[in-house]
């Protein structure tokens, strides 16, 4: 007779897996990817180290799944913010703002996801996560182009350039050190959003209006508040 897991068993297994990933996420947010080690993560998740290995056979798989999960959450937030916007230009501004806020709200985790050196190969997960978010940004730029709000351009290249600029400015080695202050964080989000909109062809006055609009949207206010 073939054994079939009951609904309760499936739920319990899923909850345990989520707890392990949550513990890994907390560790990375506090100490970077170097802190994501099997034994400490097991302690945080209140499970045995062997249980962690049952779900994630290696540290590389655990970190790769952590990268994927954080990126999925960010992508979902970008889509929610953009879909709630009243038009394609506003949607693009909302998408850029969301990327900036997510990057600033947990800078150590963001750097770990993006580029922090790790002793295992997680390059495939990192590349996949960047492609998904860049693809979403490209779709928002493309929608604004098709609506006649932006000039024709290579939207994939533009999205990649914007994403690179956002990450370099907010979490890269050259990023300012004082962005933990809520007021400076809001200023930084507005500055990079304005820069991004100008870069893809939004006229200055319109770009400034879109940036101001973002501070009035409930989603943007909640995101900025959470980051502070």
């Amino acid at each position: 007779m073939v054994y079939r897991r009951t609904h309760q068993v499936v739920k319990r297994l899923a909850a345990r897996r989520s707890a392990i990933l949550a513990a890994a996420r907390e560790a990375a947010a506090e100490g970077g990817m170097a802190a994501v080690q099997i034994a400490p993560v097991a302690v945080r998740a209140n499970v045995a180290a062997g249980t962690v290995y049952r779900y994630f056979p290696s540290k590389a798989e655990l970190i790769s799944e952590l990268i994927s999960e954080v990126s999925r959450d960010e992508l979902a937030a970008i889509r929610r913010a953009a879909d709630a916007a009243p038009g394609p230009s506003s949607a693009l501004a909302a998408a850029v703002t969301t990327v900036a806020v997510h990057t600033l709200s947990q800078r150590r985790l963001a750097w770990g996801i993006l580029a922090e050196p790790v002793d295992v190969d997680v390059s495939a997960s990192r590349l996949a996560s960047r492609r998904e978010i860049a693809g979403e940004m490209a779709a928002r730029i493309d929608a604004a182009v098709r609506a006649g709000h932006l000039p024709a351009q290579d939207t994939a290249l533009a999205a990649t350039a914007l994403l690179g600029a956002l990450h370099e400015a907010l979490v890269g080695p050259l990023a300012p050190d004082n962005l933990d202050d809520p007021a400076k964080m809001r200023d930084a989000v507005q500055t990079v959003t304005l820069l991004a909109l100008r870069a893809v062809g939004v006229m200055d006055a319109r770009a400034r209006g879109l940036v101001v609009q973002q501070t009035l949207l409930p989603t943007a206010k909640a995101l900025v508040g959470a980051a502070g």
Side-chain angles (χ1 to χ4, degrees), residues 28-33 103 106-113 116 171:
E30 292 175 10
M33 284 301 181
T103 300
Q106 289 189 302
R107 293 177 73 193
R108 194 153 197 177
L109 177 61
W111 177 245
I113 297 299
E116 181 186 345
V171 77

Side-chain angles (χ1 to χ4, degrees), residues 134-146 150-162 200:
E136 181 65 22
M137 296 287 284
R140 300 300 173 174
I141 297 172
D142 185 62
V145 170
R146 285 187 283 106
L150 296 178
Q153 58 195 284
D154 184 332
T155 54
L157 184 59
T160 302
L162 290 189
V200 293

Side-chain angles (χ1 to χ4, degrees), residues 65-184:
E65 183 54 32
L66 170 61
I67 291 170
S68 297
E69 182 184 69
V70 172
S71 298
R72 283 194 298 269
D73 289 348
E74 183 176 3
L75 186 61
I78 292 168
R79 287 174 175 164
R80 284 195 303 270
D83 289 345
S89 293
S90 297
L92 175 59
V96 173
T97 297
T98 304
V99 171
V101 171
H102 269 252
T103 300
L104 283 178
S105 62
Q106 289 189 302
R107 293 177 73 193
R108 194 153 197 177
L109 177 61
W111 177 245
I113 297 299
L114 288 168
E116 181 186 345
V118 292
D119 58 0
V120 292
D121 185 8
V122 293
S123 54
S125 293
R126 281 176 164 166
L127 182 58
S129 69
R130 290 186 190 185
R131 278 179 173 160
E132 287 185 343
I133 293 173
E136 181 65 22
M137 296 287 284
R140 300 300 173 174
I141 297 172
D142 185 62
V145 170
R146 285 187 283 106
H149 296 180
L150 296 178
Q153 58 195 284
D154 184 332
T155 54
L157 184 59
T160 302
L162 290 189
L163 202 57
L166 290 171
H167 290 154
E168 185 67 25
L170 299 176
V171 77
L174 298 179
D177 295 327
N178 58 356
L179 294 181
D180 292 332
D181 176 79
K184 292 185 182 299

